[in-house]
């Protein structure tokens, strides 16, 4: 373990005699490391539900911003992370980025021990949790170099799919660990009913919400050691030829991450409501996200020294129009998966956990619904299905073609999102919204399954369209663009719930999926397709 100076996985003899064993060892350390990254990035979707149940003095729409902050920061950090492997090496990157996750995990545990903790502390911790989101880009780029093109669909599907399972793992483990005082500290008392995978928890019960942060230290510490002692840097010309010492690699990654943190912070300051931000109109988020992407790339280009020529070589991907086409298509699949994962639990809580009744001629949405489903009992199912089926999507795409699978997925996503919108609309106008929960849930699960299959098939298309050197950075870049779904979807949900029209969010997403379906057909399936896949 350490440095590999000969690496030619397209040679069948090398692959069978040596490459397969090394590649699989790196893959099976990468997967749980990425899993924890997803868990720490997105645990705000569960923590905010429990904060609401415990009566933390933070309005619901501001609770949604915590998930959105982590989402935007994680997406932005994927931009520098996309280029880590060539500059710092795979082993150095996975070790360092996994170790960094201990900072937000420990800080979250401390902050959740008191209801008096100010909102800005939670916002700062959500900001730091974005490190876990950024890890996806470097992890996927790294694994792409270890496997031959013919096996990348399954390998990347396993890394991404089981890594995505960090969302489900978190949604199951966090509620369970909050029921026991395993890490000490004083419990809090639920003001509203809560739940876990195995059942409801009534109001008045004690809960240890701070365990939601401390829990991940049990995994992150041994995983950091596993990454350091069990993974490899590929030192060939096309992968990581000049990474220097581990300390210099860590320093380079730190500087590039700070650029991502800076542009994300500026963007959040413009978007977030006062007094934390400027409180600009809702539509401003769209040009701001574009500005963050542009500014991050431009600032990375200004880094002096040996990093600059390395980045300039990798930045050639931006002159290839298929980089932008695949960014759009991957936003449909992964952007939807990660955004729905981030907002699903709180959406269930807000739509079905309250009765929607007329009071003095005005529709109200703040009367607790004792018959409503517990978000913590159900929220894990969607991400679980989406993550579990992702390797299947990669495997099918290896057999029949990535673009064909992606096209079918787009049709399913359009239909299921329209169905979800309908039942959301019915529930949000009903005194007994639980009557609409089963069809809402089933259609949402179909939507999650489609995103998972599409995630796997999209990566297969990237492996076909781009050469070996460019495929890694393209995987990272497209994942960065798509990850803004973790910010946009909770933010749009929050805006539409505030406007009392949550169904409009799903109608808008359906229109976007239709656009992506047409683009996928035009470039990869239709009569004028440049890369037939199949």
């Amino acid at each position: 373990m350490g440095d590999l100076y000969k690496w030619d996985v397209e040679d069948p003899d090398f692959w069978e005699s040596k490459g397969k064993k090394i590649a699989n060892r790196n893959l099976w350390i990468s997967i749980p490391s990425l899993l924890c990254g997803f868990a720490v990035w997105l645990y705000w979707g569960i923590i905010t539900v429990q904060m609401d149940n415990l009566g933390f003095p933070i309005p619901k729409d501001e609770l949604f911003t915590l998930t959105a902050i982590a989402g935007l920061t994680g997406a932005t950090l994927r931009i520098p992370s996309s280029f880590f492997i060539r500059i710092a090496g795979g082993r150095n990157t996975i070790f360092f980025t996994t170790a960094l996750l201990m900072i937000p995990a420990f800080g979250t545990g401390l902050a959740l021990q008191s209801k008096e903790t100010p909102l800005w502390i939670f916002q700062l911790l959500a900001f730091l949790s974005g490190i876990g989101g950024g890890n996806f880009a470097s992890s996927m780029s790294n694994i792409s170099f270890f496997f031959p093109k013919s096996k990348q669909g399954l390998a990347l599907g396993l890394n991404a799919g089981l890594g995505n399972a960090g969302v489900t793992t978190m949604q199951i483990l966090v509620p369970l660990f909050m029921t026991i005082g395993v890490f000490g500290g004083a419990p809090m008392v639920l003001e509203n009913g809560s739940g876990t995978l195995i059942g409801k928890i009534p109001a008045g019960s004690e809960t240890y919400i701070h365990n939601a942060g401390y829990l991940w230290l049990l995994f992150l510490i041994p995983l950091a050691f596993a990454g350091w002692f069990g993974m490899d840097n590929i030192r060939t010309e096309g992968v990581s030829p000049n990474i220097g010492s581990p300390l210099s690699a860590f320093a380079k990654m730190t500087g590039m991450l700070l650029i991502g943190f800076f542009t994300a912070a500026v963007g959040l300051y413009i978007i977030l409501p006062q007094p934390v931000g400027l409180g600009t109109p809702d539509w401003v988020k769209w040009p701001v996200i574009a500005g963050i992407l542009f500014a991050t790339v431009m600032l990375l280009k200004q880094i002096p020294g040996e990093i600059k020529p390395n980045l300039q070589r990798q930045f050639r991907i931006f002159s290839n129009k298929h980089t932008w086409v695949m960014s759009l298509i991957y936003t449909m699949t992964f952007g939807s998966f990660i955004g729905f994962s981030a907002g699903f639990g709180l959406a269930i809580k807000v739509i079905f956990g309250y009765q929607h009744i007329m009071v003095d001629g005005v529709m109200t949405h703040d009367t607790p619904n004792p018959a409503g489903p517990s978000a913590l009992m159900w929220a894990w199912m969607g991400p679980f299905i989406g993550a579990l089926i992702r390797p299947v999507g990669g495997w099918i795409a290896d057999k029949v073609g990535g673009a064909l699978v992606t096209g079918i997925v787009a049709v399913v996503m359009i239909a299921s999102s329209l169905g979800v919108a309908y039942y959301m609309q019915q529930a949000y106008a009903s005194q007994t919204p639980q009557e609409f929960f089963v069809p809402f849930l089933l259609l949402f699960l179909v939507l999650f399954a489609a995103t998972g299959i599409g995630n796997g098939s999209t990566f297969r298309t990237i492996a076909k369209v781009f050469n070996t050197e460019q495929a890694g950075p393209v995987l990272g870049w497209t994942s960065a663009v798509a990850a803004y779904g973790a910010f946009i979807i909770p933010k749009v949900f929050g805006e539409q719930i505030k406007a009392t029209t949550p169904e409009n969010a799903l109608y808008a997403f359906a229109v976007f999926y239709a656009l992506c379906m047409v683009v996928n057909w035009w470039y990869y399936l239709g009569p004028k397709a440049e890369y037939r896949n199949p």
Side-chain angles (χ1 to χ4, degrees):
M1 283 68 79
D3 292 337
L4 302 170
Y5 289 92
K6 180 184 178 184
W7 192 251
D8 184 12
V9 290
E10 299 298 340
D11 177 358
D13 292 335
F14 177 85
W15 173 250
E16 291 297 331
S17 64
K18 187 176 181 181
K20 183 193 295 186
K21 181 179 178 181
I22 295 172
N24 286 330
R25 169 166 38 81
N26 280 267
L27 174 64
W28 292 109
I29 296 174
S30 174
I31 286 170
S33 301
L34 184 55
L35 183 150
C36 286
F38 269 94
V40 172
W41 182 30
L42 294 175
Y43 58 24
W44 294 101
I46 294 297
I47 291 171
T48 51
V49 171
Q50 198 72 331
M51 289 171 72
D52 185 49
N53 290 333
L54 286 165
F56 273 70
I58 300 173
K60 292 183 185 65
D61 57 335
E62 292 188 6
L63 285 177
F64 263 108
T65 67
L66 297 180
T67 306
I69 288 169
L72 184 140
T73 308
T76 305
L77 293 183
R78 287 188 177 193
I79 302 171
S81 297
S82 300
F83 309 105
F84 279 173
I85 303 305
R86 184 170 183 85
I87 290 167
R91 171 196 182 217
N92 296 338
T93 296
I94 304 304
F95 164 76
F96 183 66
T97 55
T98 300
L100 284 179
L101 292 171
M102 299 177 198
I103 299 172
F106 182 72
T108 299
L110 284 177
L112 287 170
Q113 290 189 15
S114 171
K115 291 184 183 180
E116 304 305 315
T117 302
L119 175 62
W120 70 266
I121 296 242
F122 289 117
Q123 291 173 324
L124 176 61
L125 288 165
F127 185 68
L128 293 175
S129 296
I131 294 169
N135 289 3
F136 183 84
S138 54
S139 178
M140 294 299 288
S141 178
N142 184 47
I143 292 302
S144 74
F145 294 120
F146 278 96
F147 288 84
K149 280 181 177 288
S150 63
K151 300 184 184 300
Q152 282 189 16
L154 179 58
L156 292 171
L158 284 169
N159 191 55
L162 298 181
N164 288 169
V167 182
T168 302
T169 305
M170 172 272 296
Q171 290 174 329
I172 293 173
L173 290 183
V174 167
L176 287 173
F177 268 78
M178 287 194 293
T179 64
I180 52 177
V182 65
F183 298 108
M188 297 182 186
V189 177
L190 289 168
E191 294 183 4
N192 297 312
S194 181
T196 69
L197 174 68
I198 56 178
K200 279 194 168 186
I201 300 174
S205 301
E206 292 185 340
T207 190
Y208 298 83
I209 189 174
H210 53 277
N211 289 355
Y214 292 144
L215 158 67
W216 302 105
L217 298 176
L218 297 177
F219 305 102
L220 291 169
I221 294 172
L223 279 171
F225 280 98
W228 183 252
F229 292 105
M231 297 190 75
D232 302 277
N233 300 311
I234 301 175
R235 299 294 299 274
T236 62
E237 177 59 30
V239 185
S240 308
N242 302 303
I243 59 177
S245 69
L247 285 179
S248 68
F250 301 156
K252 288 182 282 189
M253 286 187 282
T254 299
M256 293 171 70
L257 285 173
L258 288 175
I259 288 175
F261 274 125
F262 172 73
T263 55
V266 172
L268 286 166
Y269 178 68
I270 296 171
I271 295 170
L272 288 178
Q274 294 179 335
V276 178
L278 294 178
T280 52
D282 292 341
W283 62 266
V284 172
K285 62 180 174 292
W286 304 109
V288 167
I289 288 173
I292 291 171
L293 285 164
F294 178 78
T296 306
V297 171
M298 289 299 103
L299 287 174
L300 287 171
K301 276 188 172 183
Q302 306 309 311
I303 298 177
E306 63 183 59
I307 294 179
K308 190 167 187 174
N310 269 318
L311 285 176
Q312 286 175 335
R313 178 166 176 161
Q314 295 183 81
F315 281 175
R316 294 172 189 167
I317 64 172
F318 297 127
S319 62
N320 188 334
K321 67 181 177 184
H322 291 280
T323 298
W324 305 101
V325 173
M326 293 310 303
S327 296
L328 182 72
I329 293 172
Y330 193 52
T331 298
M332 174 184 71
T333 58
F334 180 77
S336 297
F337 170 83
I338 206 66
F340 291 141
S341 297
F344 191 35
L346 204 49
I348 292 174
K349 169 72 177 175
V350 170
I351 293 170
F352 297 96
Y354 294 90
Q355 294 178 321
H356 311 290
I357 55 179
M358 298 294 292
V359 177
D360 296 328
V362 177
M363 179 64 79
T364 62
H365 307 279
D366 54 6
T367 303
N369 179 16
S374 168
L376 300 188
M377 281 182 64
W378 301 101
W380 65 274
M381 287 187 175
F384 174 76
I385 291 173
L388 190 69
I389 207 168
R390 184 169 184 160
V392 177
W395 178 78
I396 296 173
D398 281 342
K399 302 296 182 185
V400 303
L404 176 61
V405 176
T406 302
I408 296 170
V409 158
V411 174
V412 174
M413 290 179 67
I414 293 168
S416 54
S417 59
L418 291 174
V420 169
Y422 171 78
Y423 286 107
M424 286 176 79
Q425 184 176 15
Q426 297 299 307
Y428 209 62
S430 173
Q431 188 172 343
T432 55
Q434 68 274 10
E435 294 176 359
F436 304 97
F437 180 68
V438 171
F440 163 88
L441 178 66
L442 292 176
L443 284 166
F444 229 130
L445 295 184
V446 171
L447 185 54
F448 267 109
T451 66
I453 293 172
N455 284 337
S457 65
T458 306
F459 279 155
R460 181 68 187 97
T461 303
I462 289 174
K464 184 174 179 66
V465 171
F466 297 92
N467 63 35
T468 301
E469 182 177 343
Q470 287 199 338
V474 169
L475 284 169
W477 171 260
T478 56
S479 76
V481 175
Y484 281 99
F487 167 77
I488 291 169
I489 289 180
K491 189 78 166 58
V492 170
F493 267 141
E495 292 166 3
Q496 293 304 316
I497 284 171
K498 191 173 183 180
T500 71
T501 54
E503 68 279 0
N504 286 352
L506 272 296
Y507 289 134
F509 299 149
V511 172
F512 174 68
Y513 301 153
L515 170 65
C516 293
M517 179 181 67
V518 172
V519 170
N520 178 71
W521 177 84
W522 180 264
Y523 283 102
Y524 306 118
L525 284 177
K528 296 185 179 181
E530 296 181 33
Y531 290 90
R532 292 208 170 273
N533 187 20

